[in-house]
Amino acid sequence: MSSEEYPNIRSGGSLLLAWRIKNKNVLIVGGGEVATSRVIKALEADALITLVCPEKGLKDELKYRIQQKQIYKWINREFEVSDLEGIDMVLSAIDDPIRSEEICVMCRERKIPVNVADIPLMCDFYFMAEHRDGPLQIAVSTNGQGPKLATIIRDRIAGNLPKGIAEAIKSVGLLRQKVRQVDPSHTSSKKRMNWMSRICEQWALEELKQLDEEKITTLMTFYENNDVPNFSLIKERTLQKNLDENFEKQIDSTKKGRIILVGAGPGDPELMTIKATKALMSADLIVSDRLVPPVIFSNITCEIRLAPVKSGEDKSQESQNEIQTWCLDALNEGKTVIRLKVGDPFLFGRGGEEVTYFREKGWNVEVIPGISSALSAPMAADVPVTHRNLSDQVLIITGQGTKGRLPELPKYHEMRTTVVLMSVGKANELSKELLDKGYPEHLPSVFVENGNRPEERIISATVSTLGEVVEKQHIVSPATLIIGRSVNALTN
Ligand SMILES: C[S@@+](CC[C@H](N)C(=O)[O-])C[C@H]1O[C@@H](n2cnc3c(N)ncnc32)[C@H](O)[C@@H]1O
């Protein structure tokens, strides 16, 4: 190791830091010109200021600040030691050197950083000559040796700064925020810093200044691959995107497409609402979930597309994307599109997601409710889901919650009927979970397979035999499971 390898230590300096005193308690003692300038500085750093000074000693500006409630607390008397209670920083600006020294000693005893104006030995920190332009702060220190010179140097520096530097800094701040939003992981911190540094180095200040929300969105498309494009490319692409969007908007304003989310009910055409039937008749395109049986479209002549078959969480999202693209294309052609779902669209039907999606694309979605299997299947099995003295509440759950997991179940309650959709593949797991939650093992249960359809089957079970019954009876989807004392309400 040689001494050339590392820089020489130049002792005697101050540690230059930007002290964040937002919402910290700063005590300012005095009411003259220096105290006023301290108040301004502290206010600009969003501190909570306590000012101690008798009214007669207050400069007009301080009276104004007090009146405007910019000063958190004004104490109308001379300083007392109790004023130091809860204080994070003290700025003393009084003409009495003996009292100043006492204040300094009291602060140091209490480890409160203190600055006594004009007495360097009583300063734990100095004020620096500062230039401020928006988020930019440049500070010059001569370590107490030449404050006037510091202001001259500051003015020279400020005079040489390029115009609009504050805007450039604000834009970079926005970009930085966006990058953190898009890629928040701490493992990406190096990538984020490196990419941001390259942008700052490669782009002129004039260019950085022009970064607005739209250009930032365009620029962010390069972040994933860690590319730093030229500013001109970003400008060009953003312009093009705006032109495309305006063009699309113009087309939008002339088209008359319509999208209706329709609940088909459990599968019996007679159990569809009149409104739903009319909507199907008016359609140019019906995009239907596969659980809706063909009999529902027997009188329909328009184009019908069934949801693509894809299993697994990612695949089902792929299928959802494909469906949405079909609908959007047809809407842009001015067609009436029916998005058809079994039962009710808003009960375990992803109906809400689709409404959000189309709204985001600028389409108003009409929704027509349907009879949900959650209520029609129990009825098909002669089960009143509520029944005096047997059940006064109904819980409807899915066997396939987020990531295919069972949802969190509440403890057993004898007055509750539990209805489980999508339960077939989860019967064993469900049985265990229910027992764990205190459901009695012999509690009556019933599966309704293809309820309200010609192939309907009603199969009895108990909480402990759910898995076994599904297997032995070869129960298949769509089937709804009903559990609770109400299951036998009409059979006894
Ligand atoms: C994706 S969820 C859709 C639920 C639908 N939105 C509703 O309100 O009925 C599909 C589940 O609905 C239930 N289901 C739909 N039609 C049914 C029918 N005809 N008989 C019994 N259960 C049915 C089954 O539990 C099936 O697994």
Side-chain angles (χ1 to χ4, degrees), residues 266-267 291 342-345 347-349 371-374 377 420-423 448-453 477-480:
L291 277 181
V342 76
D344 183 88
L347 189 86
F348 296 125
I371 296 179
S372 172
S373 56
V420 192
L421 304 189
M422 293 176 269
S423 63
V448 179
E449 183 191 83
N450 279 305
N452 305 101
R453 301 183 186 184
S477 178
T480 291

Short mmCIF file of all heavy atoms in Angstrom, two decimals, residues 266-267 291 342-345 347-349 371-374 377 420-423 448-453 477-480, ligand 1:
data_model
loop_
_atom_site.label_atom_id
_atom_site.label_comp_id
_atom_site.label_asym_id
_atom_site.label_seq_id
_atom_site.Cartn_x
_atom_site.Cartn_y
_atom_site.Cartn_z
N PRO A 266 -77.88 -20.75 -14.06
CA PRO A 266 -77.20 -22.04 -13.88
C PRO A 266 -77.16 -22.91 -15.14
O PRO A 266 -76.45 -23.92 -15.17
CB PRO A 266 -78.04 -22.72 -12.80
CG PRO A 266 -79.36 -22.05 -12.83
CD PRO A 266 -79.13 -20.65 -13.29
N GLY A 267 -77.91 -22.57 -16.17
CA GLY A 267 -77.81 -23.37 -17.40
C GLY A 267 -79.15 -23.72 -18.02
O GLY A 267 -79.20 -24.30 -19.10
N LEU A 291 -68.57 -22.90 -19.14
CA LEU A 291 -69.56 -23.54 -18.26
C LEU A 291 -71.00 -23.27 -18.70
O LEU A 291 -71.93 -23.91 -18.24
CB LEU A 291 -69.37 -23.05 -16.82
CG LEU A 291 -68.29 -23.75 -16.01
CD1 LEU A 291 -68.23 -23.17 -14.60
CD2 LEU A 291 -68.53 -25.25 -15.94
N VAL A 342 -71.60 -17.90 -16.57
CA VAL A 342 -72.54 -18.78 -15.88
C VAL A 342 -72.96 -18.13 -14.55
O VAL A 342 -72.18 -17.36 -13.96
CB VAL A 342 -71.91 -20.18 -15.66
CG1 VAL A 342 -70.89 -20.16 -14.54
CG2 VAL A 342 -72.97 -21.23 -15.41
N GLY A 343 -74.19 -18.41 -14.15
CA GLY A 343 -74.67 -17.87 -12.87
C GLY A 343 -74.75 -16.36 -12.91
O GLY A 343 -75.25 -15.77 -13.85
N ASP A 344 -74.18 -15.74 -11.88
CA ASP A 344 -74.14 -14.28 -11.82
C ASP A 344 -72.70 -13.82 -12.08
O ASP A 344 -71.76 -14.39 -11.52
CB ASP A 344 -74.59 -13.81 -10.42
CG ASP A 344 -74.63 -12.30 -10.36
OD1 ASP A 344 -75.68 -11.75 -10.70
OD2 ASP A 344 -73.60 -11.69 -10.01
N PRO A 345 -72.53 -12.78 -12.91
CA PRO A 345 -71.15 -12.40 -13.29
C PRO A 345 -70.31 -11.90 -12.13
O PRO A 345 -69.08 -11.98 -12.17
CB PRO A 345 -71.35 -11.26 -14.30
CG PRO A 345 -72.79 -11.13 -14.56
CD PRO A 345 -73.55 -11.95 -13.57
N LEU A 347 -70.37 -13.02 -8.98
CA LEU A 347 -70.09 -13.96 -7.89
C LEU A 347 -69.11 -15.02 -8.42
O LEU A 347 -69.48 -15.87 -9.23
CB LEU A 347 -71.37 -14.64 -7.39
CG LEU A 347 -71.11 -15.44 -6.12
CD1 LEU A 347 -71.21 -14.55 -4.90
CD2 LEU A 347 -72.02 -16.62 -6.00
N PHE A 348 -67.89 -14.94 -7.97
CA PHE A 348 -66.82 -15.82 -8.44
C PHE A 348 -66.82 -15.96 -9.96
O PHE A 348 -66.66 -17.06 -10.50
CB PHE A 348 -66.91 -17.20 -7.77
CG PHE A 348 -66.72 -17.13 -6.28
CD1 PHE A 348 -67.66 -17.64 -5.41
CD2 PHE A 348 -65.59 -16.52 -5.75
CE1 PHE A 348 -67.49 -17.55 -4.04
CE2 PHE A 348 -65.40 -16.43 -4.37
CZ PHE A 348 -66.36 -16.94 -3.50
N GLY A 349 -67.00 -14.82 -10.64
CA GLY A 349 -67.05 -14.87 -12.09
C GLY A 349 -66.06 -13.90 -12.73
O GLY A 349 -66.07 -13.74 -13.94
N ILE A 371 -79.14 -15.62 -12.14
CA ILE A 371 -79.39 -16.43 -10.94
C ILE A 371 -78.11 -17.22 -10.68
O ILE A 371 -77.62 -17.95 -11.55
CB ILE A 371 -80.57 -17.38 -11.15
CG1 ILE A 371 -81.84 -16.57 -11.36
CG2 ILE A 371 -80.70 -18.35 -9.98
CD1 ILE A 371 -83.09 -17.40 -11.60
N SER A 372 -77.57 -17.06 -9.49
CA SER A 372 -76.31 -17.73 -9.20
C SER A 372 -76.54 -19.18 -8.79
O SER A 372 -77.52 -19.49 -8.09
CB SER A 372 -75.59 -16.99 -8.07
OG SER A 372 -74.48 -17.75 -7.68
N SER A 373 -75.62 -20.05 -9.20
CA SER A 373 -75.71 -21.45 -8.79
C SER A 373 -75.62 -21.56 -7.27
O SER A 373 -76.10 -22.54 -6.69
CB SER A 373 -74.59 -22.26 -9.44
OG SER A 373 -73.36 -21.68 -9.11
N ALA A 374 -75.03 -20.53 -6.64
CA ALA A 374 -74.91 -20.58 -5.18
C ALA A 374 -76.28 -20.63 -4.53
O ALA A 374 -76.41 -21.14 -3.41
CB ALA A 374 -74.15 -19.36 -4.69
N ALA A 377 -78.56 -23.99 -6.98
CA ALA A 377 -78.19 -25.39 -6.74
C ALA A 377 -78.82 -25.91 -5.42
O ALA A 377 -79.42 -26.99 -5.41
CB ALA A 377 -76.68 -25.56 -6.74
N VAL A 420 -70.44 -24.14 -1.15
CA VAL A 420 -69.09 -24.11 -1.71
C VAL A 420 -69.14 -24.32 -3.23
O VAL A 420 -69.60 -25.35 -3.70
CB VAL A 420 -68.18 -25.21 -1.09
CG1 VAL A 420 -66.73 -24.97 -1.46
CG2 VAL A 420 -68.36 -25.28 0.41
N LEU A 421 -68.67 -23.32 -3.97
CA LEU A 421 -68.55 -23.46 -5.41
C LEU A 421 -67.15 -24.01 -5.71
O LEU A 421 -66.24 -23.89 -4.88
CB LEU A 421 -68.72 -22.11 -6.11
CG LEU A 421 -70.00 -21.33 -5.82
CD1 LEU A 421 -70.11 -20.13 -6.76
CD2 LEU A 421 -71.23 -22.19 -5.97
N MET A 422 -67.01 -24.61 -6.88
CA MET A 422 -65.71 -25.14 -7.34
C MET A 422 -65.08 -26.04 -6.27
O MET A 422 -63.90 -25.89 -5.93
CB MET A 422 -64.76 -23.98 -7.68
CG MET A 422 -65.23 -23.21 -8.89
SD MET A 422 -64.23 -21.78 -9.25
CE MET A 422 -65.05 -20.52 -8.33
N SER A 423 -65.86 -26.94 -5.76
CA SER A 423 -65.39 -27.73 -4.61
C SER A 423 -64.89 -29.12 -5.01
O SER A 423 -64.21 -29.78 -4.22
CB SER A 423 -66.56 -27.93 -3.63
OG SER A 423 -67.57 -28.67 -4.29
N VAL A 448 -74.57 -30.84 -5.67
CA VAL A 448 -75.53 -30.70 -6.77
C VAL A 448 -74.69 -30.55 -8.04
O VAL A 448 -74.01 -29.55 -8.24
CB VAL A 448 -76.42 -29.45 -6.59
CG1 VAL A 448 -77.38 -29.31 -7.76
CG2 VAL A 448 -77.15 -29.54 -5.27
N GLU A 449 -74.71 -31.60 -8.84
CA GLU A 449 -73.90 -31.59 -10.07
C GLU A 449 -74.83 -31.21 -11.22
O GLU A 449 -75.94 -31.75 -11.34
CB GLU A 449 -73.32 -33.00 -10.29
CG GLU A 449 -72.42 -33.12 -11.49
CD GLU A 449 -72.12 -34.58 -11.79
OE1 GLU A 449 -72.95 -35.23 -12.45
OE2 GLU A 449 -71.07 -35.09 -11.33
N ASN A 450 -74.38 -30.28 -12.06
CA ASN A 450 -75.20 -29.82 -13.19
C ASN A 450 -76.62 -29.43 -12.77
O ASN A 450 -77.59 -29.83 -13.41
CB ASN A 450 -75.27 -30.90 -14.27
CG ASN A 450 -74.03 -30.89 -15.13
OD1 ASN A 450 -73.67 -29.86 -15.70
ND2 ASN A 450 -73.36 -32.03 -15.20
N GLY A 451 -76.68 -28.67 -11.69
CA GLY A 451 -77.99 -28.26 -11.17
C GLY A 451 -78.82 -27.52 -12.22
O GLY A 451 -78.26 -26.79 -13.06
N ASN A 452 -80.12 -27.74 -12.20
CA ASN A 452 -81.06 -27.09 -13.13
C ASN A 452 -80.76 -27.41 -14.60
O ASN A 452 -81.05 -26.61 -15.49
CB ASN A 452 -81.06 -25.56 -12.95
CG ASN A 452 -81.34 -25.15 -11.53
OD1 ASN A 452 -80.42 -24.82 -10.78
ND2 ASN A 452 -82.59 -25.25 -11.12
N ARG A 453 -80.17 -28.55 -14.81
CA ARG A 453 -79.91 -28.99 -16.19
C ARG A 453 -80.44 -30.40 -16.32
O ARG A 453 -80.60 -31.11 -15.30
CB ARG A 453 -78.41 -28.98 -16.50
CG ARG A 453 -77.79 -27.60 -16.30
CD ARG A 453 -76.33 -27.60 -16.68
NE ARG A 453 -75.73 -26.31 -16.35
CZ ARG A 453 -74.50 -25.97 -16.61
NH1 ARG A 453 -73.68 -26.83 -17.21
NH2 ARG A 453 -74.05 -24.79 -16.29
N SER A 477 -67.37 -31.34 -12.39
CA SER A 477 -67.74 -29.92 -12.43
C SER A 477 -68.73 -29.70 -13.58
O SER A 477 -68.64 -30.40 -14.60
CB SER A 477 -66.48 -29.10 -12.67
OG SER A 477 -66.80 -27.77 -12.77
N PRO A 478 -69.70 -28.81 -13.50
CA PRO A 478 -69.94 -27.92 -12.38
C PRO A 478 -70.79 -28.57 -11.30
O PRO A 478 -71.81 -29.18 -11.59
CB PRO A 478 -70.70 -26.76 -13.03
CG PRO A 478 -71.47 -27.38 -14.15
CD PRO A 478 -70.63 -28.52 -14.64
N ALA A 479 -70.31 -28.44 -10.09
CA ALA A 479 -71.07 -28.97 -8.96
C ALA A 479 -70.95 -27.99 -7.80
O ALA A 479 -69.91 -27.36 -7.62
CB ALA A 479 -70.54 -30.32 -8.55
N THR A 480 -72.03 -27.92 -7.05
CA THR A 480 -72.03 -27.02 -5.88
C THR A 480 -72.32 -27.86 -4.64
O THR A 480 -73.14 -28.79 -4.69
CB THR A 480 -73.09 -25.92 -6.08
OG1 THR A 480 -72.60 -25.08 -7.13
CG2 THR A 480 -73.31 -25.09 -4.84
C1 LIG B 1 -66.37 -20.06 -11.83
S1 LIG B 1 -67.66 -20.43 -10.75
C2 LIG B 1 -68.86 -19.40 -11.39
C3 LIG B 1 -69.99 -19.17 -10.47
C4 LIG B 1 -71.08 -18.36 -11.11
N1 LIG B 1 -70.67 -17.01 -11.34
C5 LIG B 1 -72.39 -18.38 -10.35
O1 LIG B 1 -72.80 -17.32 -9.82
O2 LIG B 1 -72.98 -19.43 -10.28
C6 LIG B 1 -68.11 -22.01 -11.35
C7 LIG B 1 -68.78 -22.82 -10.29
O3 LIG B 1 -70.15 -22.50 -10.25
C8 LIG B 1 -70.87 -23.63 -9.81
N2 LIG B 1 -71.88 -23.94 -10.85
C9 LIG B 1 -72.11 -23.28 -11.99
N3 LIG B 1 -73.15 -23.82 -12.64
C10 LIG B 1 -73.62 -24.83 -11.86
C11 LIG B 1 -74.67 -25.75 -11.98
N4 LIG B 1 -75.48 -25.73 -13.04
N5 LIG B 1 -74.84 -26.63 -11.00
C12 LIG B 1 -74.06 -26.65 -9.94
N6 LIG B 1 -73.03 -25.81 -9.76
C13 LIG B 1 -72.81 -24.91 -10.71
C14 LIG B 1 -69.88 -24.75 -9.67
O4 LIG B 1 -69.47 -24.83 -8.35
C15 LIG B 1 -68.76 -24.30 -10.56
O5 LIG B 1 -67.55 -24.90 -10.22
#
